[in-house]
Structure formats: structure tokens, C-alpha cells
Amino acid sequence: MKSITYPDEIQLGNWRVTRATGEIMGPDGRQRLEPKVADLLFLLAASPGEAVSRERIMEALWPGQVVGDDSLARAVFKLRQALGDEAKAPRYIETLSKRGYRLIADVTPVPSPDMSANVEPAAASSSRSVPPRAAWIALCATAALLLAAGAWWFASRRAMPEPEARQPSALTVQADDFYFQFTRGDNESAIELYERVLALQPDDAHALAGLANALVQRAIRWPDLSGQPPMHFTRLGDALAHGHLDRQPASRQLERARLMAERAVAVAPDSSAAHKAVGFVASAQSRFQDALIAYERAVELDPNAWGTLINIGDVLEITGREREALPYFERAYAAMQRSYANNPVQIRPWYAPLGVLIADRHASRGDPSMAESWYRRVLGHSPLHPESTRGLAQLMRAGGDEAEARRLCAELNHRVGVDAACDRPAETAADPE
């Protein structure tokens, strides 16, 4: 069927979309689509109800470029997010397995003034019988009414609580960056910044989720064990085994975090960060099945949620499902690769450690070839990384290549000064979240 060319503006269900600006306005207010996302929508709208192949979409959106499937997946995810659509129960964009995508919602072109004159010549002709001055006065009156209605709508929207800002505030982003460094001081700074945001906007879902995460980290990593030597846990499993998460004050902090995370989901049910926070609290409270359900929902909403994928792997390992965990760690690493350029501050501290964790898991399974591949992959983007070098040297030594093991250790010690790095067992990475 021949594609239909739409004007610069369409009505899609309850949404009105302008292609030139990428502006979309509907029940949830006004927002702006990224250029590629807007192009994707209008490409699908040109053939409503028809399957549009992945190849055709890639050629139209990225002509002459070599891009991966993740670029298209990201554009589809962004479009669904803007429309409030869900992949499993679509109302706008339907995924056709191994074929492409289809627009299933009603779409109507919004005629421009010039198109209206061409489509309805009789009406245009009759309008010429109105004296020019009278027509101008009528037009001004109509515009004034529209402006008044718009002002009332905007004021009423401001008086209503927003479900969630489409983009987190600058202060929340700064808090996130502190949080992902995973030191005690950075975590406390994150808590302070999240609380400042919530003091101004109590229903900011991103800040609610962030504060819930930071409170859980505080309870796990830096427990307040009054009268006992200070302890520092880097893994959830170790903290659960110690048992302090079931006692005060940790249990009280976790309960506060639970309420905040659940509030974030109530405010923004389509927020991946909110569902991730619910899962993180549940895992710290040993409600592992609830945690996995929340985590899977978070990944469904954001396939690049690398921290959530790591958390799923961690829960699976804690519950004795080690073989199921490793693919999630590998998916998290791939998501880090896709997201690194846009989020280096949060990803960089955990990129190499996660690769080492994956290599260590392969080594422990008796697969030295895969382990070597992963150690070398880490050293490809993080040269002279101590744990990767140590792990690779141990593999070389176990395989009988003592000379290569010594060379790796000597170069590391000479250039980085890590004493005896290759003589100690490799340490597995701590969980980023």
C-alpha cells in the first residue's frame, strides 16, 4: 500500500504532535521529542495500521550510517515513554516480532490553514463575503478567548501535582552522581541533596527513588552498630548474613526507604527508577520475589537500566541461582557500553569492576577461555586495571605461561606502582547497587 504523506502536525489519540519542533501535547501536558523519536513517529504515522520493517526504519532515520539495533530500541522506548505506552499492552506502538513496528492508534492529519483553503474551497469562498475589518475583529476575539483558556489551563496544571518531571532536575542529577560513587561521604551528600529537592517538591518521583536507594545503601554499607567495632559491607549478601538489617536502626531506615520508593511508583508508575528503588528495598528486607518482580518491571521500562540488571544478578546469587545470575551481569555490562557516552560519571567507577566480576564468575565455573576474554575486554577500555591484570596473570600462570604472567605483573608494578598485585588472589567486584 502506498504510504500517506502527513502534514507537519498530527492528532494521535489524545496527543497532538508537531513534527518541525517535536512538540507533543496531551493529557500529561507538553513535552518535546528528540528529533529521531519524532521522525520515527511520523514514519509510522505515514502508514497507520501497517507493519514498518526495522530495515526501513533504520534506513529512514539513519541514512548511510551503520548503527546497532539498540539505537532503534532506544528510539522506540523514548516514544513509548512520551506517549505513556507499554510494550506488553500497547495502545500506540505495537512490536511485531522479527518484523518491525506498527502504529495501532487512530491518527488524523491536522490541516494547516493553506490546506484548509484547498480542501474546502466553498467555505473559503464564503469567507470572502465578510468585510475584512469585521473578520479581523472576529479573529482577534477568538485569539483572546484561546489565550484566556490557555492561561486557565496552565494555571490549573501548575496547581496540580505533576506525576514526575520528564527529566530530573539539575540538583537531582547531581545527587545521582554523588550516589553512584559509593563512598560514605558521597552517599550522605546524595541524601542531603535529595532531601533538598523533596523539601521543594515532595512528589518528585526521581528524588523519592534516589533517597530510598541512598538510605538502603547507608543501612547496608555503613551500619550504625553502637558499641561494636565499625563495620563496612560492600555486598548485600554479606549484610544480610550478618543480620543487622533486621535490627534497629537499619530496619527503621529500610522502612522509611520502602515508603518513599512506593510513593515514587504511585506518583510515576512508568518510572524505571521508581520500580528499581522498590526492588532494592525489598531485597534488603529479604523479600526476594518481590524484588525480582519490581526489578523486571524496571528493566522492561528501561532496557539500559544497568544497575537494576546487576541487582537482579545479585538477588539470584543470594538465593542460590548462580547460573541464572551471570547472563544478567553480562546484560548489565552491555547496557553500560551503550550508555557510557551519555553517563560517564555514574558508569565509570563500575565499568571495569563489573567486567572483572563476570570474568571471575567464568573462571570459577572452570571456563578459563571466557574468563581470559573478559579480563582482556576490561583491559581494552581500562588499561593497567589492577584486578583485571591480576586475574589475567593468574590465568596465564595456571595455564603454564609464567613468562606472560610475570610480564603483566612487572608492567603493572612499574607503571602504576601496585605492589605485589599479581601475587594476591583477585577480589570480586562489589555490587554497584
Side-chain angles (χ1 to χ4, degrees):
M1 182 180 293
K2 186 177 179 180
S3 296
I4 302 172
T5 302
Y6 276 90
D8 190 55
E9 194 170 32
I10 59 173
Q11 185 74 34
L12 178 66
N14 295 325
W15 299 93
R16 178 168 291 200
V17 192
T18 303
R19 182 172 189 175
T21 62
E23 189 174 68
I24 177 171
M25 186 172 70
D28 293 336
R30 187 189 303 265
Q31 55 184 302
R32 194 176 299 276
L33 299 175
E34 296 177 9
K36 295 292 185 188
V37 178
D39 289 345
L40 171 62
L41 173 57
F42 276 82
L43 177 62
L44 296 176
S47 304
E50 296 182 29
V52 182
S53 70
R54 301 170 66 86
E55 292 75 16
R56 179 183 171 192
I57 297 174
M58 301 280 274
E59 183 180 352
L61 268 59
W62 295 278
Q65 301 180 45
V66 179
V67 297
D69 288 343
D70 58 294
S71 297
L72 176 55
R74 177 183 176 276
V76 173
F77 170 75
K78 290 281 189 181
L79 180 55
R80 283 187 172 132
Q81 188 179 47
L83 296 172
D85 203 15
E86 295 187 19
K88 290 189 176 180
R91 293 177 293 119
Y92 294 95
I93 312 297
E94 181 183 14
T95 301
L96 303 174
S97 180
K98 299 182 180 180
R99 294 171 59 196
Y101 299 91
R102 175 167 57 194
L103 186 68
I104 57 176
D106 292 335
V107 58
T108 307
V110 178
S112 65
D114 290 340
M115 289 178 63
S116 298
N118 293 332
V119 171
E120 298 180 353
S125 176
S126 65
S127 66
R128 285 194 290 270
S129 63
V130 179
R133 180 176 177 81
W136 176 249
I137 293 173
L139 180 62
C140 290
T142 302
L145 287 173
L146 289 173
L147 286 173
W152 172 86
W153 179 87
F154 181 73
S156 66
R157 287 291 297 174
R158 291 194 61 182
M160 296 168 58
E162 289 291 339
E164 182 189 22
R166 288 295 174 180
Q167 297 294 330
S169 67
L171 199 59
T172 307
V173 171
Q174 186 177 352
D176 289 345
D177 288 344
F178 275 114
Y179 171 78
F180 276 93
Q181 305 313 303
F182 291 88
T183 69
R184 186 168 190 169
D186 286 323
N187 198 70
E188 292 300 315
S189 295
I191 289 173
E192 173 69 21
L193 293 177
Y194 288 133
E195 289 179 336
R196 288 184 193 176
V197 173
L198 292 172
L200 298 173
Q201 297 177 312
D203 281 341
D204 187 307
H206 198 104
L208 285 166
L211 183 54
N213 289 331
L215 290 173
V216 175
Q217 289 291 355
R218 177 198 275 173
I220 292 172
R221 292 173 175 263
W222 305 283
D224 180 9
L225 303 175
S226 302
Q228 300 182 38
M231 302 189 72
H232 177 70
F233 299 99
T234 58
R235 296 182 60 83
L236 173 60
D238 295 336
L240 289 171
H242 183 268
H244 77 272
L245 293 177
D246 295 327
R247 301 190 295 268
Q248 298 293 359
S251 62
R252 184 167 54 249
Q253 285 193 93
L254 293 180
E255 185 60 19
R256 181 189 176 201
R258 181 186 68 80
L259 294 174
M260 290 189 169
E262 290 179 354
R263 176 60 183 161
V265 170
V267 170
D270 290 335
S271 166
S272 175
H275 286 280
K276 180 266 171 190
V278 168
F280 195 30
V281 176
S283 65
Q285 294 180 325
S286 299
R287 295 184 289 110
F288 299 122
Q289 190 57 38
D290 291 342
L292 290 174
I293 292 171
Y295 284 151
E296 291 289 359
R297 176 60 177 152
V299 173
E300 179 186 326
L301 290 165
D302 180 8
N304 287 329
W306 56 271
T308 307
L309 289 164
I310 293 173
N311 287 2
I312 294 175
D314 192 35
V315 169
L316 291 172
E317 287 197 333
I318 290 172
T319 55
R321 299 158 64 182
E322 290 84 358
R323 288 201 169 273
E324 297 177 51
L326 185 53
Y328 281 97
F329 293 140
E330 293 177 338
R331 285 175 60 188
Y333 190 90
M336 282 181 168
Q337 286 183 304
R338 294 192 296 269
S339 307
Y340 190 93
N342 296 325
N343 200 2
V345 174
Q346 296 178 17
I347 293 176
R348 185 177 179 275
W350 302 105
Y351 198 18
L354 178 60
V356 172
L357 182 148
I358 295 170
D360 290 346
R361 296 298 188 270
H362 281 294
S364 67
R365 289 185 178 188
D367 191 344
S369 177
M370 284 297 296
E372 179 181 348
S373 174
W374 274 98
Y375 286 132
R376 292 192 183 280
R377 184 180 303 189
V378 173
L379 291 172
H381 62 71
S382 300
L384 300 173
H385 183 258
E387 285 72 27
S388 304
T389 304
R390 182 185 303 124
L392 182 57
Q394 288 177 344
L395 281 180
M396 295 296 99
R397 186 172 289 118
D401 194 346
E402 182 66 29
E404 176 63 7
R406 289 182 179 276
R407 186 195 69 78
L408 289 167
C409 293
E411 183 178 12
L412 178 67
N413 289 328
H414 173 70
R415 297 180 63 180
V416 183
V418 180
D419 294 336
C422 295
D423 298 330
R424 296 194 300 269
E427 299 175 1
T428 58
D431 301 296
E433 295 190 287

